[in-house]
Amino acid sequence: MGLQIISSRSTAAVAIICIICIISSVDAKRPSLTFRPQRSITFTSRQQHIQQQNNNINISNTILDIRGGATRKKRGGKTSTLYSSSQNKKSSTKKTATGKAKVRGSVKDEPEKSAVSDTLKKYKAILPLTRIYITTVGIVTLLGLLLGEEMAQGVLALDPIRTINGLELWRPITAACFLGPPSIGWLMNAYYLFEYGSSLERAFGTAQHLLFLFIQIMFLSVCSIFFGQPFFAQSVITSMLHVLSRSMPNQKVKWLIFTVPYWTLPYGLMATDVLQAQGNAAAALPHIMGILSGHLYFFHKNVWPKIGGEDWLVPPEFMRRKLDQDYGGGDVSKSKESISNALKSRKKGKGRKLG
């Protein structure tokens, strides 16, 4: 009886063990519960990566479209060039107001004017002797900058010993052309030189103007040596202004904010320079020299012949033919006629006293 109970119990235990083994083997063959979510997560991340690539491609295409360049297309398609054919057609073909294409060569393209060509054109339009004078002033000013103040005084200034004994004959010319270093005063003096020189050359002719400059340089060289002035370009400008003002003395002109007779303008410029020099009377000396030199020419050219003297300030005939041939072959110009008529209309003995 006891053996039967033990055998039945052992049989039941063996059966339970077999059932447990079968169940564990079946569970081992099944996939675990943690594996399935991992596969789904990997698949989802791959889809997100593909979608991100597509978004990047769309963003790059949008940027290229905004810039106007080429756009990317799907594989197998053709890529476009940086400039589309429609833009090339618009740029290459021009249309008229009616919508028709223009024929090439039907409209002449106007040449573009540059600032350099315009400046050269204006420079060539200046009268010849005034142009030479202005060019010499520019060259001498450049030399003064390159040499320095002390060296410029030694090379360009008027020195009678070096001029006569050393035959440095360029010194009177450089002394008549040096206006100092570039500044506002230099710019104003250069403008006056151009304005008054052009007026005199246009009125009297190039040959007569050359004779005028020659007389001014000779007389002012003597005065500068006597008064110890190394340069006298300011005196040349004042002499030009004095001759013009004595030709039309009663004409009204503007000086600063005042309206004054033309003959007082040289004295107005002299007063302006004295005021700028803080009342230094030495600033008036170049203007006084210019007024004396200009009056010397004006008296012998216009006053002396009227009282019976001979006009000896006449350029030679060959000089007139050579220099005045481009301005009517020596004929009297309109501006010269107006000045000569103004001089003839003045009565004798009615001139104003200088100073």
Side-chain angles (χ1 to χ4, degrees):
M1 184 73 179
L3 292 172
Q4 290 179 353
I5 293 169
I6 293 170
S7 61
S8 61
R9 287 180 180 178
S10 61
T11 304
V14 171
I16 291 170
I17 291 171
C18 292
I19 292 169
I20 292 171
C21 291
I22 292 169
I23 291 171
S24 61
S25 63
V26 171
D27 290 337
K29 291 181 179 180
R30 281 184 180 182
S32 62
L33 295 176
T34 58
F35 180 73
R36 291 181 181 178
Q38 187 175 2
R39 289 185 61 188
S40 61
I41 291 171
T42 306
F43 181 74
T44 305
S45 63
R46 186 176 180 184
Q47 285 183 343
Q48 289 178 354
H49 180 69
I50 295 172
Q51 186 176 1
Q52 187 177 1
Q53 286 183 349
N54 293 332
N55 291 333
N56 292 335
I57 293 172
N58 292 331
I59 291 170
S60 62
N61 289 334
T62 304
I63 293 172
L64 291 173
D65 288 337
I66 294 173
R67 194 190 65 178
T71 58
R72 294 182 181 177
K73 293 185 179 181
K74 295 181 179 180
R75 294 182 179 178
K78 295 181 180 180
T79 57
S80 60
T81 58
L82 289 176
Y83 298 98
S84 62
S85 59
S86 61
Q87 290 178 348
N88 289 333
K89 289 180 181 179
K90 289 181 181 179
S91 61
S92 61
T93 59
K94 296 181 179 180
K95 294 184 179 181
T96 60
T98 57
K100 296 182 179 179
K102 284 186 178 180
V103 181
R104 290 186 179 179
S106 59
V107 179
K108 295 182 179 179
D109 295 330
E110 296 181 358
E112 295 181 358
K113 294 182 179 179
S114 62
V116 177
S117 62
D118 192 18
T119 304
L120 289 176
K121 187 177 180 181
K122 291 180 180 179
Y123 174 77
K124 292 179 180 179
I126 302 174
L127 297 177
L129 195 57
T130 304
R131 183 171 65 243
I132 293 173
Y133 202 164
I134 294 294
T135 306
T136 308
V137 168
I139 294 173
V140 172
T141 303
L142 184 60
L143 285 176
L145 289 176
L146 295 176
L147 295 175
E149 186 176 357
E150 295 183 1
M151 188 66 70
Q153 290 279 343
V155 175
L156 304 176
L158 180 62
D159 189 346
I161 297 176
R162 292 185 178 182
T163 303
I164 298 172
N165 296 338
L167 294 178
E168 297 179 359
L169 302 179
W170 69 82
R171 290 183 177 272
I173 298 175
T174 55
C177 296
F178 186 68
L179 294 172
S183 61
I184 298 297
W186 183 93
L187 188 62
M188 294 301 296
N189 288 328
Y191 172 75
Y192 292 149
L193 188 63
F194 162 73
E195 187 69 23
Y196 303 148
S198 299
S199 299
L200 282 177
E201 187 173 359
R202 191 178 297 108
F204 300 133
T206 304
Q208 188 67 41
H209 189 55
L210 179 60
L211 182 61
F212 166 79
L213 290 178
F214 178 77
I215 293 171
Q216 299 306 307
I217 291 175
M218 292 296 104
F219 182 79
L220 289 173
S221 296
V222 176
C223 291
S224 298
I225 292 172
F226 182 77
F227 289 106
Q229 295 292 317
F231 303 103
F232 52 86
Q234 181 65 58
S235 302
V236 176
I237 296 173
T238 306
S239 67
M240 292 179 179
L241 179 59
H242 180 76
V243 172
L244 287 173
S245 65
R246 298 306 299 179
S247 301
M248 296 171 287
N250 297 322
Q251 183 178 351
K252 301 297 181 180
V253 294
K254 282 283 187 181
W255 176 66
L256 298 179
I257 59 174
F258 307 102
T259 301
V260 296
Y262 201 179
W263 68 271
T264 62
L265 194 56
Y267 305 99
L269 292 180
M270 180 174 62
T272 303
D273 285 352
V274 172
L275 292 175
Q276 288 180 352
Q278 298 179 354
N280 188 5
L285 183 59
H287 296 279
I288 295 173
M289 291 169 51
I291 290 172
L292 292 176
S293 179
H295 189 69
L296 174 70
Y297 174 85
F298 180 80
F299 178 82
H300 286 89
K301 183 65 180 176
N302 297 293
V303 179
W304 180 251
K306 289 185 178 181
I307 60 178
E310 184 180 357
D311 183 11
W312 53 274
L313 296 179
V314 179
E317 191 65 28
F318 74 90
M319 188 183 297
R320 291 174 62 87
R321 288 196 303 267
K322 183 67 175 177
L323 298 178
D324 292 337
Q325 60 182 355
D326 294 335
Y327 301 95
D331 296 336
V332 181
S333 61
K334 293 182 180 180
S335 58
K336 188 174 180 179
E337 286 180 357
S338 63
I339 293 179
S340 61
N341 292 332
L343 293 174
K344 290 178 182 178
S345 63
R346 297 180 61 195
K347 296 181 180 179
K348 295 181 180 180
K350 297 296 182 180
R352 294 181 180 268
K353 207 172 184 182
L354 289 178

